[in-house]
Amino acid sequence: MRKLKLSLIFALCFLILFVSAGYAEEIHVAVIGKSVHPYWAEVELGVKKAAEDLGVKATFFVPQKEDIQAQISQMESFIAMGVDGIAIAPSDPTALAPTIATAMSKGIPVITLDTDAPESERIAYIGTDNYSAGKLAGQVMSQLLGPEGGKVAIGTGSLTAMNSLERMRGFTDGIADNENIVVVTKPALCDFEDTGRAVTLVEQALLTYPDLKGFFGVYAINGPAAAKAIKTAGKVGEVLVVCFDTTAEHMQLIKEGAIAATIGQRPYMMGYKSVELLSKMVADGVDAALAELPEDRIVDTGVDVVAADAYVETLRVLEADSVEEYREKLIGLGIPVEGW
Ligand code: BGC
């Protein structure tokens, strides 16, 4: 009997050690995003998949909408809980820097995802190169409006997050060679990732500038918000929307032609790679994890230009894909395509 018990215990230990494909000891990492939105649901999908693949625990949190204080409090709770690593998308890099420093001083590695805080003590950044992606959006707008240009409005969800600021800086450079494009919203219309507010701001802009020719939507919230307001005003095709992201809602509006083109980020990859990198830092040490990263510690997850059928040929010079070509590309990259 005793022998049987012992062999059972051995068998159990063996199972525990070898069944989980990932790390032997339970690693717990936390990921903090910026708002409740399908974009962040895609990040969460990547987070969950990586946790499953690696056999680690990953907790995901987003505030209702842009909320710097909520990010700070949640990060403080994660530090107090003693999580092993944190990935955060700081809504304000300056405001989050002291909390990032606190985590690091307690031996909790911190990385940023989606939007960076390069002046903080964060170890690495995983996400879009936002300046280049913004510049690409500007070139797309310029190409679509042609030499006649026209008035363009800009809507964003944040005037502090670095990804928003970098995209707008890039956009300005992207349209620079077309002197007939005039940006009329200075500063950009800001909704703090509140969808209702985002739509209202576009409605107001359409009234203020009846001859508006283009709208640049900086965040995932802004493109669909603009498209909705433009549809209601009966101005589809008259005011062209160039925006960011490829949620199911974006893809539907692109198919309708209400969004002319969008810069598709890879939020699933941002989530997946964040958990992967943090887990490696915890299991093998920060130096070993860094040895696998580029020297600047920036992991560029890449972007794609996706255009509505009516505009895709005009945008081939910028390597635009049609909706179907984009779908194939995502599948090839191992990114799940859901809802469109
Ligand atoms: C941005 C995120 C933002 C999201 C939702 C994305 O384009 O990268 O920072 O939270 O849009 O609006």
Side-chain angles (χ1 to χ4, degrees):
M1 188 63 188
R2 213 187 111 104
K3 253 192 172 170
L4 187 72
K5 256 193 195 162
L6 264 177
S7 32
L8 264 174
I9 292 172
F10 271 130
L12 238 145
C13 292
F14 184 83
L15 262 175
I16 291 170
L17 266 174
F18 293 100
V19 163
S20 70
Y23 301 106
E25 244 175 75
E26 170 97 314
I27 291 173
H28 183 190
V29 300
V31 180
I32 304 174
K34 287 166 77 230
S35 65
V36 175
H37 189 276
Y39 173 87
W40 286 104
E42 283 180 41
V43 175
E44 186 176 9
L45 253 169
V47 165
K48 293 276 150 66
K49 182 70 170 77
E52 188 191 313
D53 288 353
L54 300 169
V56 304
K57 181 174 170 194
T59 307
F60 182 77
F61 169 84
V62 276
Q64 196 60 34
K65 56 190 183 92
E66 291 274 344
D67 188 338
I68 298 161
Q69 204 44 54
Q71 284 193 322
I72 293 174
S73 323
Q74 188 59 50
M75 189 154 173
E76 285 170 351
S77 312
F78 283 137
I79 296 170
M81 272 165 69
V83 298
D84 299 308
I86 301 174
I88 181 159
S91 283
D92 181 336
T94 314
L96 260 303
T99 324
I100 293 175
T102 306
M104 291 292 296
S105 73
K106 291 186 189 297
I108 303 171
V110 179
I111 62 169
T112 47
L113 81 158
D114 176 64
T115 180
D116 201 5
E119 306 298 324
S120 74
E121 288 180 31
R122 64 86 173 129
I123 302 172
Y125 165 70
I126 297 178
T128 299
D129 172 343
N130 284 293
Y131 171 77
S132 306
K135 188 166 180 187
L136 187 56
Q139 289 164 337
V140 166
M141 183 67 89
S142 178
Q143 187 73 22
L144 288 176
L145 296 186
E148 315 85 272
K151 290 182 184 161
V152 170
I154 301 180
T156 185
S158 173
L159 294 176
T160 50
M162 200 175 153
N163 59 353
S164 168
L165 301 177
E166 286 290 277
R167 283 176 206 176
M168 292 193 281
R169 189 168 72 87
F171 185 82
T172 308
D173 290 350
I175 56 171
D177 57 1
N178 189 336
E179 53 190 26
N180 291 326
I181 295 183
V182 184
V183 174
V184 288
T185 46
K186 286 185 179 158
L189 310 170
C190 183
D191 51 61
F192 302 98
E193 299 208 39
D194 176 326
T195 311
R197 190 168 157 71
V199 177
T200 308
L201 287 171
V202 184
E203 285 167 352
Q204 285 166 356
L206 291 174
L207 293 176
T208 314
Y209 309 103
D211 52 348
L212 199 69
K213 288 281 178 277
F215 189 94
F216 171 41
V218 177
Y219 273 0
I221 277 188
N222 304 109
K228 272 181 215 156
I230 289 164
K231 270 167 78 172
T232 311
K235 288 191 160 184
V236 172
E238 208 176 303
V239 185
L240 301 187
V241 177
V242 174
C243 60
F244 265 76
D245 300 311
T246 51
T247 68
E249 191 182 21
H250 286 80
M251 300 317 282
Q252 192 47 46
L253 290 160
I254 290 181
K255 283 182 194 166
E256 289 173 26
I259 289 177
T262 192
I263 309 295
Q265 301 191 82
R266 299 192 182 140
Y268 177 87
M269 285 302 185
M270 294 181 203
Y272 194 100
K273 285 175 185 281
S274 293
V275 172
E276 199 175 43
L277 180 59
L278 284 175
S279 302
K280 184 147 185 67
M281 284 178 176
V282 179
D284 304 340
V286 169
D287 288 343
L290 286 181
E292 290 178 10
L293 293 192
E295 214 159 291
D296 61 4
R297 300 172 175 196
I298 288 175
V299 179
D300 184 351
T301 42
V303 294
D304 300 287
V305 180
V306 192
D309 284 349
Y311 307 102
V312 72
E313 291 311 324
T314 315
L315 294 175
R316 288 288 188 207
V317 280
L318 295 166
E319 293 177 17
D321 290 322
S322 69
V323 170
E324 284 317 314
E325 286 162 346
Y326 181 57
R327 179 195 301 279
E328 292 307 312
K329 193 181 265 182
L330 290 185
I331 293 169
L333 287 167
I335 298 175
V337 176
E338 281 178 9
W340 54 277

